[in-house]
Amino acid sequence: MRWSHYFIPTLREDPADAEVVSHKLLLRAGMVRQLAAGIYSYLPLAYRVMQKIMAIIREEMNRIGGQEFLLPALNPREIWEESGRWTAMGDNMFRLRDRKGADLCLGMTHEEVFTAIARDELRSYRQLPQIWYQIQTKFRDEPRPKSGLLRVRQFIMKDSYSFDVDRAGLDRAYELHREAYCRIFDRCGLKYTVVEASSGAMGGSESSEFMVRTEAGEDMIVVCEACGYAANLEKATSRIAPIEDAPGPDAPEEFPTPGVRTIEDLTVFPGGAPADRQIKTLVYMMSAEDGPRPLLALLRGDHQLHETKLSDALGGVAVRPAHPDEIRDLLGASAGSLGGVRAKEIARARGRELRIVADLALRGRRNMTTGANRDDYHLRGVDVERDIAVDQWADLRIVNSGEGCPRCEGGTLEVFKALEVGHIFKLGTKYSESMGATVLTPEGKEVPIVMGSYGIGVERVMAAAIELHHDADGIIWPETIAPFDVIVTVTNIKDDRMREAGERLYAELRGAGFDVLLDDRDERAGVKFKDADLIGVPYRLTVGKKIADGAVEIFQRRTKRASEVRLSEAVARLRELKAQSRP
Amino acid sequence: MRWSHYFIPTLREDPADAEVVSHKLLLRAGMVRQLAAGIYSYLPLAYRVMQKIMAIIREEMNRIGGQEFLLPALNPREIWEESGRWTAMGDNMFRLRDRKGADLCLGMTHEEVFTAIARDELRSYRQLPQIWYQIQTKFRDEPRPKSGLLRVRQFIMKDSYSFDVDRAGLDRAYELHREAYCRIFDRCGLKYTVVEASSGAMGGSESSEFMVRTEAGEDMIVVCEACGYAANLEKATSRIAPIEDAPGPDAPEEFPTPGVRTIEDLTVFPGGAPADRQIKTLVYMMSAEDGPRPLLALLRGDHQLHETKLSDALGGVAVRPAHPDEIRDLLGASAGSLGGVRAKEIARARGRELRIVADLALRGRRNMTTGANRDDYHLRGVDVERDIAVDQWADLRIVNSGEGCPRCEGGTLEVFKALEVGHIFKLGTKYSESMGATVLTPEGKEVPIVMGSYGIGVERVMAAAIELHHDADGIIWPETIAPFDVIVTVTNIKDDRMREAGERLYAELRGAGFDVLLDDRDERAGVKFKDADLIGVPYRLTVGKKIADGAVEIFQRRTKRASEVRLSEAVARLRELKAQSRP
């Protein structure tokens, strides 16, 4: 490719509206342009990178027996009704009507369509296992698209689905995917952590995320360096020091706490209690077909609720904090004076059924202090299991850096920001049961197909590579996914000798199978070097004045090391360098 | 690939709802499944074929200097407003609202987005020419999706756009595309005709379609075998014998024609006229911002109107036949008694302005008969140019088989059904002017970029290949786009010797770079042969009983010729056969 005819609209300055590094550099390197919020056009340089990533994904998916499909982005409402997700996907799903008034949506993921095909075409365990995949455009109406390609409304995803006759088959397919994903991300030059994750709207029993540690990420992950335990914050647990409670009274005692509204207030109130001896009481509303239903989430006073954990504890139902008026209607008190003791009775008297979910750290605790469901009053001497009608014990608490690893003895947890680039799910029979996809076992029994679902975000891989590999001058592409292997920079294109040497190198390198960009623009050498650094081609061959002595310069973008080489030996030298840099 | 693990759900019977051959065979060969009207899932076998077609397209586009982009399917309303096509695309465009209420549409084509990028990034003639392309999913809400993949609501298109500083540049880009398209369709094994076409909703000055002659097509093309003239019926003209009219009276004469409602009626009515001496008068409504406007289309009595020609004559405005009550409101008579004489005066008296467009075949005609705008009365002695206030003369007439070629002397036209697989347009400055995409010329003058637009339907290429290449047993893929180069059929997989020989052949062929499908299913040989014929793999290597003598059979799907070959020589023999069959 000749830069003089190639469209790489680089920018000199950082774009004003870009915050994260990958966003800035994708814009500055002339790779993407925004068409609307969260909707980007990919220019040729970006698409070259994406095609290399997709080729790697395809190779590794084929290697584990994956078969490539292409399913429609337009989906009829009916199949999403069958799985129950037409409603569950809420505002995140783009919906439209066709000219005949039929409801359609744009696929956010393709469990439904693949399950429908499996239902119609698979009959017997003999046809299993199957791994079906596609590399295809997904649509999600993100409430807050941002960070360039990190949170968008349209993106390319490799999604695959495994179909097995039993759980053992699913375990194998899941492991095959885990290994394939590791190879894919390794080959794309990403450093990543595999973490336990919440399955969220996908459902199923188990899931892992592939996380790249970067400040640009919007996820938080928890890692134990000692034993390798790693989990998404929404799933992570930790060991915390047990607290020995002194015995309390036989029943809770109410006492006045004028003006006390927060945990913090009560720690300093005379006769109050330290935060870890208080019960934090939060009111949430959970989605239900007949309207939102209230619940109390109870935690230790110094602990924070993770809403995803609460939602997961409820089987994946969406939850939201109750509004102040909903709280008062329910319990007759304001948010600062709530408590679990007698809460169900109070709610029932007001015509509402109330569910109580308590964090595991409250189990066995006694002599605690909490709100009295009466403004300006609290209760002390509360024995959680004796005095509160807990419906469900669950892990609801946000893990903090420095807490103990839940898996090993001496490990300490750390919390990092991270970017999700892949996610694998053991779906089990959630979709095959709701949509009726069954096969006959060897014994002739009809069973629902056991499914897995696995995704990789192609743009995220590209953006993560930039987040991990860049410097002040621009991108430093991993060689495997660089848009070009090498750039030949002719410092003065008007000099015949330089131009001819550049053309000769260009032809030779192409003949040797390299992806080459020839910078044949009529620009100053400084501009060309800056642009080459910015777009991040791994090697630059510079044809300058030394060509008079038959020499050119080889410059490695990553190390910034330059060396001189005979023109006639440049190709061989480049091959050597590339071979050395292979991991 | 091993068939035992590969997903090819072939069907024994023709599906009831499929009419055209490609639709039947795509379903029977387990290549596609319908998800909703005009929306298909592509199974692995189909996607292999499509990937081969896309690779050929990519190679040929890159060869003419095309640069591959990927643009979003989701488009904001604003850019379609700029070009004026938000309204013009009507019900064919899928529209939706995002969670914030912003209007979006699904791209039917990408002139708008590419022009917007050109506007923002191109400044100077020095950056031109550019050819930008993508291979991407398009969405069109077809009123009547049908014929399998021939008329669908979601499909993959290679669309490209050329940007030049002047018309001469556009002519070059257009010619480059014409040549590239010929190479693409040649390489995909299609026989095609390049025809002059209407530019329709795209606008611009000139366009050509690449048409495959097949009964499955929904277009009609007109061809002169003598000189090679070829045009879409919506654009084709012809030479017809001139008619000498006897002089008529000084003014039209009204005469009663009770019960006469049609051209045919009047030919047999005493004192009537033969069809070629009558004027056919049709009332149409053309779209306008302030509501539909009426117009008369006049043709010779024995000629048929082509609505696209009428629309094109009006500058691409949509037209529809007027309803009976609209006609009566306008002219006070019913459809069988209309005429152009005094029609404007009558309409004006009823408060409507009327436009009259007359077919060129009426030019100079006199002593003609037409309706009197009074039920049961006609006029004779009408001199078209003297008596009718024609606003516009245009070619409106449908060409018929057997008429004279408009280009050569003795040629005769034939009309065929055909399927459009590609379309190239000289857009000129329609989009660059409306959207303000300009560059500076060498003289420093700001001019609108001169654009071309070029499309190929990927699924259509696949379906056309099937329409052209099949027999009663199934598909006969052109070797360039076949899903596999060769199938190795082991007639009895339980026979160790056969199975081992099959595995050996499979490994050898793969090693030699062939795409191989190994039919290792536990099925009868007859079933395997039938399936292999159905999915149309060009060569079958059959491993059967003769393996005892070290022999296998090579069967060519196209010629149905079989020959015996030593197992050790099978790969070499297959190479020979493939080399021979190369065009």
Side-chain angles (χ1 to χ4, degrees):
Chain A
M1 218 55 78
R2 289 157 194 283
W3 196 319
S4 61
H5 291 89
Y6 200 60
F7 183 61
I8 313 178
T10 56
L11 305 175
R12 287 286 149 266
E13 307 294 331
D14 267 351
D17 53 343
E19 282 173 20
V20 303
V21 170
S22 59
H23 189 193
K24 282 181 199 169
L25 288 175
L26 284 163
L27 287 169
R28 284 195 51 202
M31 296 182 69
V32 306
R33 290 295 182 261
Q34 182 174 293
L35 176 61
I39 301 176
Y40 284 83
S41 298
Y42 307 140
L43 310 192
L45 211 56
Y47 202 52
R48 287 183 79 94
V49 174
M50 291 167 68
Q51 282 178 309
K52 293 196 179 184
I53 294 169
M54 292 189 277
I56 290 171
I57 292 174
R58 206 164 257 137
E59 277 178 31
E60 296 297 342
M61 288 307 300
N62 292 345
R63 196 205 280 216
I64 62 168
Q67 302 176 52
E68 189 167 4
F69 285 59
L70 186 68
L71 301 193
L74 275 179
N75 285 192
R77 172 178 179 152
E78 290 71 24
I79 57 166
W80 288 81
E81 291 281 8
E82 286 185 53
S83 72
R85 293 207 291 185
W86 179 262
T87 307
M89 288 304 193
D91 286 345
N92 288 321
M93 190 150 78
F94 283 111
R95 294 149 203 269
L96 63 160
R97 283 224 166 84
D98 71 11
R99 65 196 300 152
K100 292 184 176 136
D103 282 318
L104 299 168
C105 67
L106 298 179
M108 305 171 64
T109 171
H110 278 80
E111 280 75 16
E112 283 76 3
V113 185
F114 270 115
T115 306
I117 293 173
R119 170 181 62 192
D120 295 345
E121 309 289 345
L122 301 179
R123 291 281 165 270
S124 159
Y125 74 95
R126 278 197 212 91
Q127 294 168 285
L128 302 180
Q130 294 281 342
I131 293 175
W132 294 350
Y133 78 98
Q134 59 175 344
I135 300 178
Q136 187 255 13
T137 302
K138 299 280 184 277
F139 300 86
R140 296 185 188 173
D141 197 359
E142 286 283 345
R144 286 170 298 280
K146 67 173 183 179
S147 305
L149 297 189
L150 298 186
R151 202 197 272 181
V152 288
R153 299 200 287 170
Q154 159 165 8
F155 58 97
I156 298 178
M157 189 170 167
K158 185 290 297 174
D159 47 327
S160 48
Y161 304 84
S162 63
F163 301 87
D164 285 276
V165 72
D166 55 22
R167 303 285 315 184
L170 170 59
D171 291 345
R172 274 190 301 275
Y174 189 83
E175 180 58 21
L176 282 174
H177 273 89
R178 207 189 54 71
E179 292 166 4
Y181 276 36
C182 289
R183 285 192 296 267
I184 289 166
F185 298 128
D186 285 341
R187 289 180 62 184
C188 290
L190 300 188
K191 283 178 74 173
Y192 56 90
T193 307
V194 186
V195 308
E196 296 175 15
S198 157
S199 296
M202 302 294 285
S205 61
E206 185 182 336
S207 84
S208 298
E209 286 166 326
F210 292 75
M211 289 288 195
V212 172
R213 269 163 61 170
T214 160
E215 280 302 305
E218 298 188 338
D219 275 283
M220 302 294 281
I221 62 170
V222 176
V223 175
C224 170
E225 298 290 352
C227 74
Y229 170 77
N232 193 305
L233 187 64
E234 66 195 25
K235 179 84 177 179
T237 60
S238 66
R239 239 180 334 97
I240 49 176
I243 294 180
E244 201 54 51
D245 295 315
D250 287 343
E253 295 164 357
E254 192 175 87
F255 64 106
T257 50
V260 168
R261 291 286 172 273
T262 66
I263 299 285
E264 181 63 23
D265 290 348
L266 197 61
T267 62
V268 297
F269 185 81
D276 63 4
R277 307 196 65 83
Q278 297 186 41
I279 303 171
K280 180 182 283 182
T281 307
L282 303 167
V283 187
Y284 270 78
M285 306 301 282
M286 55 189 280
S287 293
E289 291 213 348
D290 53 355
R293 291 185 196 160
L295 68 91
L296 291 193
L298 308 183
L299 294 105
R300 208 169 83 181
D302 57 339
H303 288 164
Q304 306 300 317
L305 172 74
H306 200 303
E307 288 188 3
T308 306
K309 285 187 169 184
L310 177 59
S311 168
D312 285 351
L314 299 167
V317 174
V319 295
R320 63 162 175 83
H323 308 138
D325 52 339
E326 286 172 332
I327 294 174
R328 185 158 287 282
D329 281 357
L330 182 72
L331 293 171
S334 59
S337 305
L338 306 179
V341 180
R342 287 208 332 277
K344 287 193 182 191
E345 290 81 345
I346 298 169
R348 197 168 297 132
R350 292 160 167 265
R352 300 303 303 257
E353 287 301 317
L354 183 63
R355 182 178 181 85
I356 300 182
V357 186
D359 182 63
L360 295 170
L362 289 178
R363 200 141 211 181
R365 295 298 303 279
R366 47 189 189 162
N367 206 7
M368 303 284 281
T369 301
T370 190
N373 293 323
R374 180 179 171 204
D375 285 355
D376 297 326
Y377 285 85
H378 278 74
L379 299 177
R380 60 181 150 221
V382 175
D383 180 319
V384 178
E385 295 185 55
R386 179 192 69 194
D387 300 326
I388 301 179
V390 173
D391 295 291
Q392 184 178 358
W393 294 91
D395 172 45
L396 301 178
R397 174 176 63 86
I398 293 179
V399 165
N400 295 300
S401 272
E403 293 176 354
C405 175
R407 192 176 288 164
C408 71
E409 265 309 302
T412 300
L413 298 177
E414 282 193 86
V415 180
F416 301 98
K417 284 183 110 173
L419 174 66
E420 179 194 331
V421 289
H423 201 162
I424 58 179
F425 297 88
K426 290 189 180 175
L427 297 178
T429 55
K430 174 181 155 102
Y431 297 90
S432 52
E433 278 185 19
S434 62
M435 298 181 65
T438 60
V439 287
L440 293 176
T441 65
E443 296 76 33
K445 199 180 143 203
E446 194 172 350
V447 296
I449 300 175
V450 183
M451 290 173 55
S453 158
Y454 317 87
I456 290 178
V458 173
E459 290 91 335
R460 285 240 179 129
V461 172
M462 174 165 69
I466 297 175
E467 295 290 345
L468 292 179
H469 307 290
H470 68 270
D471 61 16
D473 297 323
I475 304 168
I476 307 169
W477 288 113
E479 297 190 10
T480 45
I481 62 170
F484 293 96
D485 298 319
V486 52
I487 179 168
V488 175
T489 301
V490 178
T491 58
N492 179 1
I493 200 69
K494 288 177 173 159
D495 180 304
D496 287 347
R497 198 157 181 178
M498 289 189 202
R499 201 187 56 246
E500 280 157 24
E503 291 284 351
R504 183 180 141 192
L505 258 183
Y506 178 56
E508 244 183 275
L509 286 162
R510 280 159 47 110
F514 289 101
D515 274 341
V516 197
L517 180 62
L518 173 67
D519 193 346
D520 59 344
R521 292 176 299 165
D522 182 12
E523 293 279 1
R524 285 178 299 109
V527 169
K528 293 186 178 189
F529 294 155
K530 264 197 171 357
D531 274 347
D533 282 353
L534 177 59
I535 69 171
V537 179
Y539 298 95
R540 187 180 77 217
L541 283 172
T542 310
V543 182
K545 283 183 185 152
K546 289 193 180 141
I547 198 66
D549 312 325
V552 297
E553 189 191 79
I554 291 196
F555 174 84
Q556 186 172 29
R557 175 71 182 88
R558 185 168 52 80
T559 59
K560 297 209 162 179
R561 258 185 241 132
S563 59
E564 219 169 84
V565 66
R566 312 290 313 157
L567 177 61
S568 56
E569 289 157 14
V571 175
R573 180 79 191 110
L574 188 64
R575 266 216 201 88
E576 272 172 41
L577 280 172
K578 274 184 77 75
Q580 283 163 20
S581 79
R582 203 155 294 151
Chain B
M1 219 54 81
R2 289 159 193 281
W3 196 319
S4 61
H5 291 89
Y6 200 60
F7 183 60
I8 313 176
T10 55
L11 306 175
R12 287 284 150 267
E13 306 293 330
D14 267 349
D17 53 343
E19 281 173 20
V20 303
V21 170
S22 59
H23 189 194
K24 282 181 198 170
L25 288 176
L26 284 163
L27 288 169
R28 284 196 51 203
M31 297 182 69
V32 306
R33 290 294 183 261
Q34 183 174 293
L35 176 60
I39 301 176
Y40 284 84
S41 298
Y42 306 140
L43 310 192
L45 210 56
Y47 201 52
R48 287 182 79 94
V49 174
M50 290 167 68
Q51 282 177 309
K52 293 196 178 185
I53 294 168
M54 292 189 278
I56 289 171
I57 292 173
R58 207 165 257 138
E59 277 179 31
E60 296 297 342
M61 288 307 300
N62 292 346
R63 195 206 281 216
I64 63 168
Q67 301 175 52
E68 190 167 5
F69 286 58
L70 186 69
L71 301 193
L74 275 178
N75 285 192
R77 171 178 179 151
E78 290 70 24
I79 56 165
W80 288 80
E81 290 280 8
E82 286 185 54
S83 71
R85 294 206 290 184
W86 179 262
T87 307
M89 288 304 193
D91 286 344
N92 288 321
M93 190 150 78
F94 282 111
R95 294 150 203 270
L96 63 160
R97 283 224 167 84
D98 70 11
R99 66 196 300 153
K100 292 183 177 137
D103 282 317
L104 299 167
C105 67
L106 298 179
M108 305 171 62
T109 171
H110 278 80
E111 279 75 15
E112 281 76 2
V113 185
F114 270 115
T115 306
I117 293 173
R119 170 181 62 192
D120 294 345
E121 308 290 345
L122 301 178
R123 289 282 165 272
S124 158
Y125 74 95
R126 279 196 212 90
Q127 294 168 283
L128 301 182
Q130 294 281 341
I131 293 175
W132 294 349
Y133 79 98
Q134 59 175 344
I135 301 178
Q136 187 255 12
T137 302
K138 299 282 183 278
F139 300 86
R140 297 186 187 173
D141 197 358
E142 286 283 346
R144 285 171 298 279
K146 67 172 184 179
S147 306
L149 297 189
L150 298 186
R151 203 197 272 180
V152 288
R153 299 200 288 170
Q154 159 165 8
F155 58 96
I156 298 179
M157 189 170 166
K158 186 287 298 175
D159 47 327
S160 48
Y161 304 83
S162 63
F163 301 87
D164 285 277
V165 72
D166 55 22
R167 303 283 317 183
L170 170 58
D171 292 345
R172 275 190 299 275
Y174 189 83
E175 180 58 20
L176 282 175
H177 274 89
R178 207 189 54 71
E179 291 167 6
Y181 277 36
C182 288
R183 285 192 295 267
I184 289 165
F185 298 127
D186 284 341
R187 289 179 64 185
C188 290
L190 301 188
K191 283 177 74 173
Y192 56 91
T193 307
V194 186
V195 307
E196 295 175 15
S198 158
S199 296
M202 302 294 284
S205 61
E206 185 182 336
S207 84
S208 297
E209 287 167 325
F210 291 75
M211 289 288 193
V212 171
R213 270 164 62 172
T214 160
E215 281 302 306
E218 297 187 339
D219 274 284
M220 304 293 282
I221 62 170
V222 177
V223 175
C224 169
E225 298 290 355
C227 74
Y229 170 78
N232 192 306
L233 187 64
E234 66 196 24
K235 179 83 176 178
T237 59
S238 66
R239 239 179 335 95
I240 47 175
I243 294 181
E244 201 55 51
D245 295 316
D250 287 345
E253 295 164 358
E254 193 175 87
F255 64 106
T257 51
V260 169
R261 290 288 172 273
T262 66
I263 299 284
E264 180 62 23
D265 289 348
L266 197 62
T267 61
V268 296
F269 185 80
D276 63 3
R277 307 197 65 84
Q278 296 185 42
I279 303 170
K280 179 183 284 183
T281 307
L282 303 168
V283 187
Y284 270 78
M285 306 302 281
M286 55 190 280
S287 294
E289 291 213 348
D290 53 354
R293 291 187 196 159
L295 68 90
L296 292 192
L298 307 184
L299 294 106
R300 207 170 84 182
D302 56 338
H303 288 163
Q304 306 299 318
L305 172 74
H306 198 303
E307 287 187 4
T308 306
K309 285 187 169 184
L310 177 60
S311 167
D312 286 350
L314 298 167
V317 174
V319 295
R320 63 163 174 84
H323 307 138
D325 53 339
E326 287 173 331
I327 294 174
R328 183 157 288 280
D329 282 356
L330 183 73
L331 293 171
S334 59
S337 306
L338 306 179
V341 181
R342 288 207 330 276
K344 288 194 180 189
E345 289 82 345
I346 297 169
R348 197 168 298 131
R350 291 159 169 267
R352 299 302 303 257
E353 285 302 316
L354 183 63
R355 183 179 180 84
I356 300 183
V357 186
D359 182 63
L360 294 170
L362 290 177
R363 200 140 209 180
R365 296 297 305 279
R366 50 190 185 160
N367 206 6
M368 302 284 281
T369 301
T370 190
N373 292 324
R374 180 181 172 203
D375 285 356
D376 297 324
Y377 285 85
H378 278 74
L379 298 177
R380 62 181 150 220
V382 175
D383 180 318
V384 178
E385 296 185 55
R386 179 193 68 193
D387 300 326
I388 302 179
V390 172
D391 294 292
Q392 185 179 358
W393 294 90
D395 173 44
L396 302 178
R397 173 176 64 86
I398 293 179
V399 165
N400 295 298
S401 272
E403 292 175 355
C405 175
R407 191 175 288 165
C408 71
E409 264 309 303
T412 301
L413 299 178
E414 282 192 86
V415 181
F416 300 97
K417 284 183 112 173
L419 174 66
E420 180 194 329
V421 289
H423 201 161
I424 58 179
F425 297 87
K426 289 188 180 175
L427 296 178
T429 56
K430 175 181 154 101
Y431 297 90
S432 52
E433 279 186 18
S434 62
M435 298 181 65
T438 61
V439 288
L440 293 176
T441 64
E443 295 76 34
K445 200 180 143 203
E446 193 173 351
V447 296
I449 300 174
V450 184
M451 291 175 54
S453 159
Y454 316 87
I456 291 179
V458 173
E459 290 92 334
R460 285 239 180 132
V461 172
M462 175 165 68
I466 297 176
E467 295 289 347
L468 292 179
H469 306 290
H470 68 270
D471 61 17
D473 297 323
I475 303 169
I476 306 170
W477 288 112
E479 297 191 9
T480 46
I481 62 171
F484 293 97
D485 298 319
V486 53
I487 179 169
V488 175
T489 301
V490 178
T491 58
N492 180 1
I493 200 69
K494 289 177 175 160
D495 180 303
D496 287 347
R497 198 156 179 178
M498 288 189 204
R499 200 186 57 245
E500 281 158 23
E503 291 284 352
R504 184 180 140 191
L505 257 183
Y506 178 57
E508 244 183 273
L509 286 162
R510 279 159 48 108
F514 289 101
D515 275 342
V516 197
L517 180 62
L518 174 67
D519 193 347
D520 59 343
R521 293 176 297 166
D522 182 13
E523 292 280 2
R524 285 179 299 111
V527 169
K528 294 186 177 188
F529 294 156
K530 264 196 171 0
D531 274 346
D533 283 353
L534 177 59
I535 69 170
V537 179
Y539 299 94
R540 187 180 79 215
L541 283 172
T542 309
V543 182
K545 284 184 186 153
K546 290 195 179 140
I547 198 65
D549 312 323
V552 296
E553 188 190 81
I554 291 196
F555 174 84
Q556 185 172 29
R557 175 69 181 88
R558 186 168 53 80
T559 58
K560 298 211 162 178
R561 258 187 241 131
S563 58
E564 220 169 85
V565 66
R566 312 290 313 157
L567 178 60
S568 56
E569 289 157 16
V571 174
R573 179 78 190 111
L574 188 64
R575 266 216 201 90
E576 272 172 41
L577 280 172
K578 275 183 75 76
Q580 283 164 19
S581 80
R582 202 156 294 150

